[in-house]
Amino acid sequence: TLPRRYAERAVDFIRRSKDKPFFLYFAPNMPHVPLFAGDAFLGKTPRGLYGDVIREIDWSVGQIMKTLDELQLAENTFVIFSSDNGPWLMYGSHGGSAGRLRGGKGTTWEGGVRVPFVARWPGRIPADTTSDEPAMTIDLLPTISKLTGGKLPDHVIDGKDISPILFGQPAAKNPHDALLFFHFGSLFGVRSGKWKLVYEP
């Protein structure tokens, strides 16, 4: 399956790059439809095919993490695991679930934009900690640039450095006055603190 092939290529890349700085973007096309799971994962979860696919993705990510540990690269590697949107509700059981959250992919409700974000950097990011501060994927570019000593473009970047939140600094807050949610080029939602304004067409 593609997740397995992606994982194998990723592991091979890490092994070939272990003696120099590297950047790996691992983006399996699953769980986009149509769904497929490898024989080793098919029928292994109580959530049907979607659950099987998620389990295979979990295994794939585990292979990458295992390789970083095996090569003793973990303490010098910043790992981020996240998603770009919520569940694709129009596909029912093949599209995932937002649980109690309203909406899904293609909406600016919390079910459409609130996604898991897990980061690991042993010795830098405190283990077994969580944060309630909101952030966006637009914050990744300036954050990674800051941590790696990179230079941002001269034009305005919408994201902001969120490393104080990641590193668990006391009283670290989201650096934005407000978070803006666009859909097809139009502003559909604004969040500031615990409040969110959603425009319905």
Side-chain angles (χ1 to χ4, degrees), residues 21-108:
F22 64 83
F23 172 81
L24 170 64
Y25 178 63
F26 177 74
N29 64 318
M30 296 292 171
H32 281 178
V33 292
L35 299 179
F36 297 95
D39 292 341
F41 303 94
L42 194 59
K44 302 297 184 181
T45 72
R47 291 297 303 272
L49 182 56
Y50 189 88
D52 299 342
V53 168
I54 296 301
R55 185 166 184 173
E56 185 164 5
I57 293 173
D58 181 67
W59 172 86
S60 300
V61 174
Q63 296 303 297
I64 293 172
M65 303 299 281
K66 178 181 176 182
T67 302
L68 292 174
D69 291 339
E70 175 191 326
L71 299 177
Q72 299 182 340
L73 298 174
E75 292 188 1
N76 199 31
T77 304
F78 180 29
V79 177
I80 296 169
F81 179 89
S82 189
S83 176
D84 58 349
N85 53 251
W88 213 344
L89 299 179
M90 65 182 292
Y91 287 101
S93 63
H94 281 201
S97 169
R100 297 179 181 179
L101 299 178
R102 181 178 181 180
K105 179 177 179 176
T107 75
T108 54

XYZ file of all heavy atoms in Angstrom, residues 21-108:
681
model
N 22.220 17.735 8.116
C 20.866 18.243 8.373
C 19.913 17.824 7.250
O 20.295 17.803 6.079
C 21.057 19.764 8.389
C 22.501 19.960 8.707
C 23.222 18.808 8.059
N 18.691 17.475 7.615
C 17.720 17.092 6.588
C 16.324 17.565 6.973
O 16.033 17.823 8.141
C 17.730 15.575 6.356
C 17.298 14.740 7.543
C 15.956 14.510 7.811
C 18.250 14.161 8.381
C 15.566 13.727 8.894
C 17.870 13.387 9.464
C 16.525 13.166 9.720
N 15.477 17.673 5.958
C 14.071 18.005 6.134
C 13.257 16.918 5.455
O 13.483 16.609 4.292
C 13.747 19.364 5.513
C 12.265 19.687 5.498
C 11.645 20.171 6.630
C 11.509 19.496 4.345
C 10.284 20.462 6.629
C 10.159 19.794 4.319
C 9.536 20.278 5.472
N 12.315 16.329 6.182
C 11.456 15.287 5.634
C 10.006 15.712 5.804
O 9.559 15.992 6.910
C 11.685 13.958 6.365
C 10.685 12.836 6.043
C 10.786 12.415 4.582
C 10.898 11.643 6.973
N 9.286 15.765 4.700
C 7.846 16.035 4.722
C 7.153 14.740 4.352
O 7.220 14.296 3.210
C 7.514 17.152 3.732
C 6.037 17.480 3.639
C 5.338 17.969 4.742
C 5.354 17.317 2.441
C 4.001 18.277 4.659
C 3.998 17.630 2.345
C 3.327 18.109 3.464
O 1.991 18.417 3.375
N 6.504 14.120 5.319
C 5.865 12.824 5.134
C 4.358 13.036 5.112
O 3.746 13.334 6.137
C 6.272 11.893 6.281
C 5.618 10.535 6.229
C 6.033 9.597 5.298
C 4.626 10.186 7.125
C 5.446 8.343 5.248
C 4.033 8.928 7.094
C 4.447 8.005 6.155
N 3.742 12.925 3.952
C 2.316 13.220 3.805
C 1.603 12.095 3.066
O 1.379 12.166 1.857
C 2.132 14.538 3.066
N 1.214 11.028 3.774
C 0.489 9.935 3.109
C -0.846 10.431 2.562
O -1.512 11.260 3.182
C 0.292 8.912 4.237
C 0.436 9.684 5.499
C 1.389 10.793 5.210
N -1.220 9.953 1.382
C -2.488 10.405 0.798
C -3.685 9.859 1.557
O -4.791 10.399 1.471
C -2.582 10.004 -0.672
C -2.603 8.500 -0.845
O -1.852 7.781 -0.188
N -3.448 8.025 -1.719
N -3.510 8.776 2.295
C -4.566 8.278 3.166
C -4.651 9.191 4.385
O -3.632 9.740 4.798
C -4.267 6.849 3.626
C -4.237 5.845 2.513
S -5.883 5.621 1.804
C -5.478 4.611 0.389
N -5.855 9.395 4.950
C -7.067 8.638 4.714
C -8.041 9.260 3.705
O -9.250 9.165 3.882
C -7.703 8.604 6.116
C -7.334 9.919 6.711
C -5.962 10.222 6.170
N -7.524 9.907 2.669
C -8.420 10.364 1.604
C -9.030 9.157 0.893
O -8.387 8.117 0.750
C -7.661 11.220 0.592
C -7.439 12.621 1.059
N -6.754 13.548 0.327
C -7.828 13.274 2.185
C -6.720 14.696 0.974
N -7.352 14.551 2.098
N -10.249 9.343 0.429
C -10.901 8.260 -0.315
C -10.341 8.196 -1.730
O -9.855 9.216 -2.238
C -12.431 8.498 -0.366
C -13.022 8.343 1.014
C -12.760 9.863 -0.948
N -10.370 7.027 -2.380
C -10.849 5.749 -1.853
C -9.848 5.146 -0.863
O -8.632 5.298 -1.032
C -10.983 4.889 -3.110
C -9.965 5.439 -4.060
C -9.929 6.921 -3.796
N -10.358 4.465 0.151
C -9.524 3.919 1.205
C -9.025 2.514 0.867
O -9.761 1.709 0.297
C -10.314 3.849 2.518
C -10.840 5.163 3.088
C -11.620 4.886 4.375
C -9.702 6.145 3.345
N -7.772 2.267 1.227
C -7.188 0.936 1.086
C -6.287 0.690 2.283
O -5.578 1.600 2.728
C -6.353 0.820 -0.196
C -7.145 0.992 -1.462
C -7.215 2.230 -2.085
C -7.822 -0.075 -2.025
C -7.937 2.406 -3.256
C -8.557 0.084 -3.191
C -8.607 1.325 -3.811
N -6.301 -0.502 2.807
C -5.412 -0.877 3.905
C -4.653 -2.129 3.511
O -5.187 -3.001 2.807
C -6.196 -1.124 5.190
N -3.407 -2.215 3.942
C -2.604 -3.388 3.651
C -3.140 -4.625 4.355
O -3.891 -4.534 5.335
N -2.761 -5.786 3.849
C -3.248 -7.052 4.409
C -2.962 -7.168 5.904
O -3.754 -7.755 6.647
C -2.617 -8.235 3.673
C -3.103 -8.342 2.232
O -4.166 -7.761 1.924
O -2.415 -8.986 1.413
N -1.841 -6.617 6.345
C -1.463 -6.728 7.756
C -2.368 -5.897 8.662
O -2.364 -6.081 9.889
C -0.005 -6.305 7.945
N -3.148 -4.973 8.088
C -3.975 -4.065 8.878
C -5.469 -4.219 8.595
O -6.301 -3.754 9.384
C -3.558 -2.617 8.612
C -2.118 -2.363 8.885
C -1.168 -2.454 7.866
C -1.680 -2.055 10.165
C 0.171 -2.232 8.125
C -0.339 -1.837 10.432
C 0.594 -1.927 9.407
N -5.811 -4.860 7.501
C -7.204 -4.985 7.085
C -8.004 -5.803 8.094
O -7.632 -6.913 8.456
C -7.271 -5.638 5.703
C -8.604 -5.544 4.959
C -9.000 -4.086 4.738
C -8.501 -6.269 3.618
N -9.113 -5.225 8.570
C -9.976 -5.922 9.509
C -9.442 -6.004 10.923
O -9.921 -6.804 11.727
N -8.471 -5.164 11.260
C -7.822 -5.260 12.570
C -8.378 -4.295 13.612
O -7.969 -4.338 14.769
C -6.311 -5.016 12.425
C -5.608 -5.974 11.487
C -5.675 -7.402 11.974
C -4.881 -8.335 11.073
N -4.943 -9.725 11.506
N -9.288 -3.397 13.220
C -9.816 -2.436 14.191
C -11.342 -2.509 14.227
O -11.971 -2.975 13.270
C -9.406 -0.990 13.826
O -10.152 -0.559 12.675
C -7.914 -0.894 13.536
N -11.945 -2.022 15.311
C -13.413 -2.021 15.395
C -14.055 -0.874 14.628
O -15.276 -0.761 14.611
C -13.670 -1.888 16.905
C -12.481 -1.156 17.421
C -11.326 -1.625 16.593
N -13.258 -0.017 13.989
C -13.788 1.133 13.266
C -13.861 0.912 11.763
O -13.929 1.863 10.985
C -12.947 2.381 13.572
C -13.063 2.896 14.985
C -14.479 3.351 15.315
N -14.940 4.372 14.397
C -14.741 5.680 14.564
N -14.079 6.097 15.621
N -15.205 6.535 13.685
N -13.811 -0.335 11.339
C -13.938 -0.629 9.926
C -12.712 -0.234 9.125
O -11.607 -0.081 9.667
N -12.908 -0.034 7.820
C -11.788 0.258 6.925
C -11.081 1.555 7.308
O -9.855 1.628 7.240
C -12.283 0.327 5.477
C -11.227 0.580 4.403
C -10.111 -0.470 4.466
C -11.861 0.602 3.018
N -11.836 2.568 7.709
C -11.202 3.835 8.092
C -10.253 3.622 9.274
O -9.128 4.115 9.277
C -12.263 4.880 8.445
C -11.680 6.269 8.631
C -11.540 7.126 7.551
C -11.267 6.716 9.877
C -11.002 8.391 7.700
C -10.726 7.973 10.040
C -10.595 8.809 8.956
O -10.050 10.060 9.124
N -10.716 2.883 10.270
C -9.861 2.591 11.417
C -8.621 1.811 11.022
O -7.521 2.050 11.539
N -8.781 0.873 10.073
C -7.634 0.089 9.604
C -6.599 0.987 8.925
O -5.390 0.821 9.107
C -8.094 -0.994 8.622
C -9.066 -1.982 9.251
O -9.126 -2.057 10.498
O -9.772 -2.667 8.487
N -7.095 1.932 8.123
C -6.201 2.868 7.436
C -5.442 3.722 8.453
O -4.223 3.927 8.334
C -7.003 3.757 6.462
C -6.148 4.920 5.966
C -7.502 2.937 5.287
N -6.146 4.218 9.459
C -5.497 5.036 10.488
C -4.445 4.221 11.230
O -3.352 4.721 11.544
C -6.536 5.597 11.472
C -7.501 6.546 10.755
C -5.846 6.306 12.639
C -6.850 7.739 10.093
N -4.752 2.962 11.480
C -3.775 2.102 12.159
C -2.523 1.926 11.301
O -1.403 1.904 11.819
C -4.403 0.753 12.473
C -3.495 -0.153 13.285
C -4.243 -1.325 13.856
N -3.385 -2.142 14.702
C -3.826 -3.154 15.429
N -5.110 -3.463 15.433
N -3.000 -3.866 16.159
N -2.696 1.803 9.987
C -1.531 1.659 9.117
C -0.720 2.952 9.075
O 0.519 2.922 9.051
C -1.951 1.258 7.705
C -0.766 0.973 6.795
C -1.138 0.228 5.539
O -2.336 -0.001 5.293
O -0.213 -0.147 4.781
N -1.392 4.098 9.087
C -0.670 5.373 9.142
C 0.103 5.464 10.448
O 1.264 5.898 10.475
C -1.648 6.552 9.008
C -2.251 6.574 7.608
C -0.949 7.880 9.314
C -3.348 7.605 7.430
N -0.524 5.056 11.538
C 0.142 5.046 12.841
C 1.401 4.176 12.791
O 2.462 4.560 13.297
C -0.828 4.538 13.907
C -0.210 4.531 15.294
O 0.069 5.624 15.816
O 0.008 3.433 15.847
N 1.274 3.011 12.163
C 2.443 2.131 12.011
C 3.528 2.823 11.188
O 4.717 2.749 11.522
C 2.010 0.829 11.327
C 3.170 -0.054 10.959
C 3.800 -0.970 11.750
C 3.862 -0.062 9.704
N 4.836 -1.560 11.067
C 4.908 -1.012 9.813
C 3.709 0.638 8.512
C 5.776 -1.285 8.764
C 4.580 0.367 7.467
C 5.591 -0.582 7.595
N 3.124 3.497 10.115
C 4.087 4.173 9.239
C 4.870 5.241 9.991
O 6.099 5.330 9.886
C 3.360 4.812 8.046
O 2.674 3.846 7.289
N 4.148 6.065 10.746
C 4.810 7.094 11.544
C 5.721 6.439 12.583
O 6.834 6.913 12.846
C 3.780 8.007 12.226
C 4.458 8.988 13.180
C 2.962 8.763 11.178
N 5.262 5.329 13.138
C 6.083 4.610 14.111
C 7.404 4.132 13.527
O 8.433 4.134 14.214
N 7.399 3.726 12.252
C 8.638 3.302 11.605
C 9.638 4.451 11.504
O 10.843 4.278 11.699
C 8.341 2.748 10.200
C 7.485 1.501 10.184
C 8.098 0.382 11.002
O 9.189 -0.112 10.706
N 7.403 -0.024 12.051
N 9.121 5.644 11.227
C 9.988 6.821 11.136
C 10.560 7.161 12.506
O 11.771 7.391 12.652
C 9.199 8.008 10.561
C 8.828 7.719 9.106
C 9.998 9.309 10.678
C 7.886 8.737 8.499
N 9.698 7.164 13.530
C 10.166 7.487 14.879
C 11.173 6.441 15.374
O 12.185 6.779 16.002
C 8.967 7.562 15.824
C 7.894 8.549 15.407
S 8.493 10.250 15.320
C 8.478 10.669 17.047
N 10.899 5.188 15.066
C 11.804 4.105 15.470
C 13.178 4.292 14.823
O 14.218 4.069 15.462
C 11.203 2.768 15.065
C 12.047 1.556 15.386
C 11.353 0.278 14.913
C 12.214 -0.945 15.132
N 11.549 -2.187 14.629
N 13.186 4.705 13.560
C 14.453 4.914 12.851
C 15.236 6.073 13.459
O 16.461 5.987 13.634
C 14.185 5.192 11.360
O 13.469 4.083 10.801
C 15.487 5.390 10.596
N 14.553 7.158 13.807
C 15.231 8.291 14.452
C 15.866 7.859 15.769
O 16.998 8.252 16.083
C 14.240 9.427 14.698
C 13.695 10.130 13.460
C 12.613 11.127 13.852
C 14.806 10.846 12.701
N 15.150 7.051 16.540
C 15.694 6.566 17.809
C 16.869 5.619 17.573
O 17.905 5.706 18.241
C 14.605 5.853 18.614
C 13.529 6.811 19.116
O 13.805 8.028 19.194
O 12.417 6.337 19.429
N 16.705 4.718 16.614
C 17.750 3.734 16.322
C 19.056 4.405 15.895
O 20.149 3.994 16.294
C 17.267 2.800 15.222
C 18.302 1.807 14.731
C 17.858 1.099 13.466
O 16.641 0.852 13.298
O 18.743 0.814 12.623
N 18.946 5.478 15.105
C 20.132 6.184 14.607
C 20.611 7.262 15.571
O 21.522 8.023 15.242
C 19.824 6.803 13.242
C 19.453 5.816 12.132
C 19.093 6.560 10.850
C 20.593 4.838 11.877
N 19.975 7.332 16.734
C 20.316 8.315 17.775
C 20.216 9.748 17.246
O 21.060 10.601 17.538
C 21.718 8.027 18.337
C 21.820 6.649 18.983
C 23.184 6.379 19.588
O 24.174 7.018 19.250
N 23.235 5.423 20.500
N 19.146 9.994 16.485
C 18.909 11.317 15.927
C 17.788 12.060 16.652
O 17.556 13.238 16.379
C 18.540 11.200 14.444
C 19.579 10.597 13.514
C 18.992 10.423 12.112
C 20.826 11.478 13.455
N 17.094 11.370 17.551
C 15.885 11.936 18.147
C 16.132 13.262 18.849
O 15.360 14.216 18.706
C 15.253 10.938 19.121
N 17.218 13.365 19.604
C 17.447 14.573 20.390
C 17.844 15.773 19.537
O 17.883 16.897 20.032
C 18.513 14.313 21.461
C 18.035 13.357 22.538
C 19.006 13.249 23.686
O 20.060 13.936 23.662
O 18.717 12.480 24.635
N 18.117 15.534 18.263
C 18.473 16.636 17.370
C 17.461 16.749 16.225
O 17.775 17.299 15.167
C 19.882 16.428 16.801
C 20.467 17.704 16.256
O 20.187 18.802 16.733
N 21.284 17.590 15.227
N 16.254 16.210 16.449
C 15.242 16.217 15.395
C 13.913 16.741 15.939
O 13.389 16.227 16.929
C 15.030 14.798 14.829
O 16.282 14.272 14.372
C 14.046 14.831 13.664
N 13.386 17.743 15.273
C 12.099 18.344 15.613
C 11.030 17.654 14.769
O 11.051 17.744 13.548
C 12.168 19.847 15.318
C 10.910 20.619 15.606
C 10.024 20.235 16.586
C 10.634 21.772 14.884
C 8.881 20.966 16.852
C 9.497 22.525 15.142
C 8.610 22.113 16.126
N 10.126 16.933 15.421
C 9.094 16.162 14.730
C 7.730 16.798 14.992
O 7.391 17.101 16.141
C 9.075 14.693 15.198
C 7.940 13.934 14.521
C 10.412 14.028 14.911
N 6.960 16.982 13.930
C 5.599 17.507 14.037
C 4.649 16.519 13.373
O 4.906 16.044 12.268
C 5.472 18.870 13.330
C 6.348 19.923 14.008
C 4.004 19.335 13.323
C 6.453 21.211 13.194
N 3.550 16.214 14.055
C 2.495 15.373 13.482
C 1.202 16.173 13.535
O 0.766 16.600 14.606
C 2.346 14.070 14.270
C 1.260 13.171 13.743
C 1.540 12.239 12.764
C -0.037 13.268 14.217
C 0.541 11.401 12.262
C -1.042 12.445 13.720
C -0.755 11.515 12.744
N 0.588 16.403 12.381
C -0.646 17.181 12.362
C -1.453 16.844 11.120
O -1.079 15.983 10.321
C -0.334 18.680 12.402
O -1.514 19.436 12.593
N -2.571 17.546 10.954
C -3.440 17.374 9.798
C -3.797 18.746 9.262
O -3.608 19.756 9.947
C -4.711 16.615 10.198
O -5.606 16.516 9.103
N -4.315 18.798 8.045
C -4.643 20.093 7.453
C -6.120 20.440 7.559
O -6.516 21.563 7.265
C -4.190 20.152 5.988
C -4.804 19.049 5.144
O -5.408 18.125 5.717
O -4.682 19.104 3.909
N -6.955 19.496 7.960
C -8.382 19.785 8.088
C -9.072 18.663 8.851
O -8.484 17.613 9.111
C -9.047 19.957 6.708
C -8.783 18.801 5.771
O -8.050 18.938 4.808
N -9.377 17.646 6.044
N -10.322 18.912 9.203
C -11.111 17.908 9.898
C -11.656 16.846 8.960
O -11.281 16.781 7.785
N -12.576 16.016 9.441
C -13.072 14.874 8.673
C -13.890 15.287 7.454
O -14.544 16.331 7.442
C -13.952 14.133 9.689
C -14.386 15.197 10.647
C -13.217 16.103 10.766
N -13.866 14.426 6.449
C -14.608 14.643 5.208
C -15.978 13.997 5.395
O -16.209 12.842 4.997
C -13.854 14.001 4.056
C -13.989 14.718 2.764
C -14.911 15.675 2.426
C -13.169 14.541 1.608
N -14.715 16.109 1.144
C -13.643 15.419 0.612
C -12.085 13.720 1.318
C -13.081 15.504 -0.649
C -11.516 13.805 0.071
C -12.002 14.687 -0.915
N -16.899 14.728 5.988
C -18.158 14.162 6.451
C -19.023 13.593 5.336
O -19.804 12.669 5.567
C -18.944 15.218 7.234
C -18.238 15.741 8.495
C -19.093 16.798 9.166
C -17.930 14.606 9.457
N -18.898 14.132 4.120
C -19.743 13.656 3.028
C -19.474 12.191 2.673
O -20.278 11.555 1.983
C -19.563 14.529 1.785
C -18.179 14.472 1.175
S -17.990 15.568 -0.263
C -19.063 14.791 -1.452
N -18.360 11.624 3.168
C -18.043 10.229 2.879
C -18.394 9.297 4.031
O -17.965 8.139 4.054
C -16.567 10.092 2.500
C -16.279 10.635 1.120
C -15.711 11.893 0.956
C -16.615 9.916 -0.017
C -15.469 12.412 -0.310
C -16.380 10.421 -1.280
C -15.805 11.669 -1.420
O -15.571 12.177 -2.685
N -19.164 9.803 4.984
C -19.649 8.952 6.065
C -18.548 8.264 6.836
O -17.582 8.901 7.270
N -18.666 6.937 6.990
C -17.697 6.182 7.788
C -16.312 6.144 7.154
O -15.340 5.755 7.801
C -18.195 4.745 7.994
O -18.307 4.067 6.753
N -16.193 6.548 5.896
C -14.883 6.598 5.231
C -14.228 7.970 5.346
O -13.146 8.178 4.810
C -15.030 6.232 3.746
C -15.136 4.763 3.515
N -14.864 4.181 2.308
C -15.471 3.743 4.332
C -15.033 2.876 2.392
N -15.411 2.593 3.604
N -14.909 8.891 6.024
C -14.380 10.253 6.091
C -13.901 10.697 7.447
O -13.424 11.822 7.600
N -14.011 9.855 8.460
C -13.566 10.219 9.792
C -14.667 10.865 10.610
O -15.812 10.989 10.175
N -14.314 11.289 11.802
C -15.279 11.880 12.728
C -14.645 13.033 13.494
O -13.464 12.983 13.851
C -15.771 10.818 13.721
O -16.505 11.410 14.766
N -15.439 14.066 13.757
C -14.982 15.188 14.587
C -15.502 15.059 16.009
O -15.402 16.001 16.795
C -15.440 16.506 13.973
N -16.077 13.909 16.327
C -16.592 13.707 17.674
C -17.712 14.684 17.978
O -18.677 14.807 17.226
N -17.571 15.435 19.055
C -18.609 16.382 19.475
C -18.495 17.733 18.772
O -19.339 18.607 18.969
C -18.535 16.596 20.980
C -18.800 15.344 21.796
C -18.688 15.629 23.277
N -18.914 14.423 24.062
C -18.851 14.399 25.385
N -18.567 15.497 26.049
N -19.065 13.272 26.040
N -17.457 17.914 17.991
C -17.267 19.205 17.341
C -18.174 19.348 16.127
O -18.455 18.381 15.423
C -15.803 19.371 16.917
C -14.768 19.335 18.042
C -13.368 19.471 17.471
C -15.036 20.420 19.071
N -18.609 20.569 15.871
C -19.509 20.847 14.753
C -18.727 20.999 13.450
O -17.652 21.592 13.424
C -20.276 22.134 15.045
C -21.276 22.528 13.971
C -22.003 23.789 14.397
N -22.986 24.207 13.413
C -23.759 25.278 13.543
N -23.653 26.034 14.622
N -24.618 25.594 12.597
N -19.282 20.468 12.365
C -18.696 20.655 11.048
C -17.577 19.679 10.731
O -17.254 18.778 11.497
N -17.002 19.871 9.551
C -15.917 19.014 9.101
C -15.141 19.728 8.014
O -15.210 20.963 7.894
N -14.412 18.973 7.212
C -13.598 19.545 6.142
C -14.431 20.485 5.261
O -15.564 20.180 4.895
C -13.020 18.425 5.280
C -12.172 18.911 4.114
C -11.577 17.762 3.349
C -10.744 18.281 2.176
N -10.061 17.201 1.457
N -13.853 21.645 4.947
C -14.538 22.601 4.104
C -15.401 23.585 4.874
O -16.047 24.434 4.276
N -15.420 23.459 6.213
C -16.142 24.425 7.034
C -15.155 25.137 7.950
O -14.039 24.655 8.168
C -17.219 23.756 7.908
O -16.598 23.077 9.019
C -18.032 22.762 7.101
N -15.594 26.266 8.495
C -14.735 26.968 9.459
C -15.217 26.740 10.891
O -14.741 27.391 11.809
C -14.704 28.480 9.158
O -16.047 28.990 9.109
C -14.010 28.737 7.844
